[in-house]
Amino acid sequence: MRVILPQLAVLLALSNLAAAGDWRGLFSSELRATERGLEQRRAELVALGDPVVGNTAPQFGYQTNQKPAPPPESPWVQVDLGSSQQIDTIALVPVLVDFQPVDRGAYGFPKRFRVDVSDDASFGEFTPLFVHTDDDFPPPGVAPVVIPADCKARYIRVTVTKPAEENNTFFVALGELMALQGNRNIALGGAVGSSDSVNLPPRWEQSNLTDGRTPLGPPIRHGVMPEFDAIFATTTADGIPAWMAVDLGEEMTLDEVRLHPLHARQGADVPGFRFPLQFRVELATQADFADARVLFETGGKDYPNPGNNPVTIRADGKSGRFVRVVMEKGEIAAVPEFALSELEVQAFGQRVSTGSAVTTSGDPKRDPPRPINQLTDGFTSYGRLMELPQWLDEWARRSALHASIRELEKLLPGRVVVAERRAAWTAAGAGILLAAGVAALGLRARRVRADEQEQFRTRLARDLHDEIGSNLAGIAVLSETAVQPGGESEGDLQEIHRIAQESSEAMREVLWLVGARQEMGIDLGSQMQTAAARLLPGRAIHWVRLPDRLPASWSMDTRRQIFLFFKEALTNVVRHARADSVEISAGVTGGLFELRIQDNGRGFDVATAPAGLGLHSLRDRAKSLNGTFTIESAPGSGTLVLLTIPNC
């Protein structure tokens, strides 16, 4: 029976889901949403790429004194931008110290704080930009805390109402305070003031808050990297100091020049590799730098190695076409060369140096040689350069994703429990429904069997009426004649005997057809032989083949219909053929059951055969067997009746 109950279908679906490992989501839309949310956020994190994080310079940032109890007054630190300026965004970069793992989180980042701006150094009047003083700020890890500003001010102040606590001491630490105006950090190099500060150079100084050195490194997206990590320039044979220059293509007013050091990754892992100890940056309108103006110079003092942090030099609106970096003292006296991964020039609020022509004093002989256009290809040693706003946006998005993932991970166990509880309830309910379904299937099967039995009883009654009833009626008539005076009793009694014998045999056939126990051992072939001998008295019967190998799957009704077809065909021979010989063949060949009855009677024209020949009944029985009925005959040439049943 090809009936699948709905509850059984549900159980099959549950089984498939359980095998796939995601079955719990079927019972909780909240769990499905949580799992989808986690998957989407993790995929977005992967798309953003892993940042290159870690201190590559000895300067950590700004820190207050560590105290055994929270300070009675809120400590503050502020940056002077030099003049009242437009501020688009403020970013607070946490501290990552070299004695803690990256995944530990920010060192000394305040728990509760506010950020205000003012044109008054004492903040007698101010504008609040960010206030988080009622509850603890979520730990930012190493990610910068990005605060939209869109205001104009000279001073930016961070006031801490609840400091960090480490090892039973209370203090505040910040790695960098950035103030963005377009693509520039206008807080870079700004004067720093505070109510409390630790002075332990080079790690902890107030000035470190705006020195541009952070554990986040340059504003890059870590991913596809250039074949080589930097280019080198060397001092010439006649003693001209090593230099690199870019041609911007036309004279323009500059905002900044950014020198990106080499973070060696080919043969070593050294940030700030071969960065010059002393150098100057020049701007000119002529290629030979005859009219060079100095934008920056170390002035005979060694410049602290920046690691992989960019060195930003303000141009203060000076104009020029050519920018050159000249080494005055190398990192190692015996190696008269220096290296940069990118020389970036900002003008008109954007990077204008990408793709610019590059010239140098000469590259040391290397195999293979490094193309000098790497100096303006838009890549540092470890990734593609990004503008500061986009870089901070990605950090903010990365922080938001981490925070969202943490919240979803907190929700996940509870929602798993709810889903499993619902699954248990559903399984119990499904078990009850399944039991009810099995009972319903059993009831339906009993009803089907009852219907089949009723149909069989109807057919059996008809057969008994046709076979036994007609014979018994004949016996009654003959008996009545036999008891009349002067009747030929002996002949009638003989006929009564014959009819009674036939009735007995017909009854045995019926009992065999219904599967009566005493007739079970008789096979179809034997029944057909017995019936043929009874129905064709006085005629020669030639059995070409007997049905000795019949399908085990045949039902009682199939056997009945074949046998009755056989009897009806023989009855037609007796009634119409006037034949004295009949040839019979029955058996299975090539998956087909075939019954052939060939007589040598007078034959007839099949096309004009009258309805009385019983052909309609034979066709009906063949149809009920899903078989085909064929008759071949012609006047004077006998008749062939053929029944073929497929799928045996």
Side-chain angles (χ1 to χ4, degrees), residues 85-98:
Q85 301 190 55
Q86 173 66 29
I87 305 171
D88 300 328
T89 305
I90 293 173
L92 303 180
V93 180
V95 172
L96 177 67
V97 295
D98 55 3

Side-chain angles (χ1 to χ4, degrees), residues 446-481:
R446 287 195 294 272
R447 288 178 179 174
V448 170
R449 286 196 299 271
D451 290 343
E452 291 176 347
Q453 291 172 356
E454 181 63 27
Q455 293 173 8
F456 180 73
R457 282 195 293 270
T458 301
R459 290 195 300 268
L460 180 60
R462 185 186 66 193
D463 292 342
L464 288 174
H465 176 272
D466 293 345
E467 292 287 338
I468 308 303
S470 61
N471 287 345
L472 293 178
I475 291 174
V477 172
L478 291 173
S479 299
E480 183 179 353
T481 304

Side-chain angles (χ1 to χ4, degrees), residues 535 563-573 614 617-618 621:
L535 293 174
F563 184 68
L564 292 179
F565 180 98
F566 175 72
K567 285 180 60 180
E568 192 159 351
L570 295 187
T571 300
N572 284 343
V573 172
S617 177
L618 291 175
R621 292 196 185 277

